[in-house]
């Protein structure tokens, strides 16, 4: 099972995700969202930040289907997908995840040949608190 690797800057992201909530860090001065989380705003250099709730809706911006050689735990699941999602309410924010058929569905649950760039997706959370993605209209 995939589990989050939490660092100090990203800890709030994972804390909200564990509660089933997708939030992105945003500057408390100029309001620009940023990802990955980091102490300083790249737009205005402010160190003030907040965690803004987003809808969890987005579009597939890009994807890959990893091929061998893969780490043993992943080799068992191949072929699976890794998608990049552009958030609907923060289009400059792109999150990496997997398109699956439901919360806690395996990485290989969605057939790679059915993935389309631009497809509308919605976040779901695994029981480990990992954001995953499902088609908005399966
Ligand atoms: Zn700023």
């Amino acid at each position: 099972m995939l589990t989050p690797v939490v660092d100090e800057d990203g800890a709030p992201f994972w804390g909200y995700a564990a509660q089933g909530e997708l939030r992105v860090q945003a500057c408390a001065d100029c309001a620009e969202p940023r990802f990955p989380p980091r102490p300083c705003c790249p737009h205005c250099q402010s160190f003030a930040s907040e965690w803004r709730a987003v809808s969890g809706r987005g579009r597939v911006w890009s994807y890959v289907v990893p091929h061998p050689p893969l780490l043993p735990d992943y080799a068992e699941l191949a072929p699976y997908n890794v998608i990049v999602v552009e958030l609907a309410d923060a289009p400059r924010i792109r999150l990496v995840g997997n398109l699956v058929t439901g919360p806690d569905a395996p990485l290989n649950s969605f057939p790679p040949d059915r993935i389309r760039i631009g497809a509308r997706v919605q976040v779901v959370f695994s029981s480990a608190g990992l954001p995953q993605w499902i088609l908005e209209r399966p």
Side-chain angles (χ1 to χ4, degrees):
M1 182 195 292
L2 290 174
T3 53
V5 177
V6 178
D7 65 1
E8 191 180 332
D9 292 328
F13 176 88
W14 296 112
Y16 290 117
Q19 299 165 41
E21 198 176 351
L22 189 65
R23 289 189 182 231
V24 294
Q25 189 185 36
C27 179
D29 284 321
C30 77
E32 280 290 330
R34 61 181 184 260
F35 194 89
R38 50 194 180 275
C40 181
C41 175
H43 305 282
C44 76
Q45 287 72 53
S46 168
F47 282 87
S49 69
E50 60 193 15
W51 287 85
R52 184 182 302 164
V54 292
S55 66
R57 292 173 44 249
R59 287 180 182 269
V60 176
W61 186 78
S62 186
Y63 72 97
V64 294
V65 178
H67 290 276
L70 298 166
L71 294 170
D73 287 349
Y74 290 96
E76 289 175 16
L77 296 169
Y80 61 92
N81 67 77
V82 179
I83 64 171
V84 180
V85 175
E86 181 182 72
L87 295 182
D89 32 14
R92 280 196 259 173
I93 304 295
R94 297 184 185 127
L95 303 182
V96 175
N98 309 99
L99 188 57
V100 292
T101 54
D104 283 324
L107 292 189
N108 59 2
S109 60
F110 195 94
D113 61 353
R114 288 191 46 220
I115 301 173
R116 297 290 178 266
I117 301 292
R120 291 175 190 272
V121 292
Q122 171 72 47
V123 75
V124 291
F125 295 90
S126 76
S127 50
L130 191 72
Q132 301 277 56
W133 302 89
I134 58 172
L135 285 183
E136 202 172 277
R137 283 171 293 180

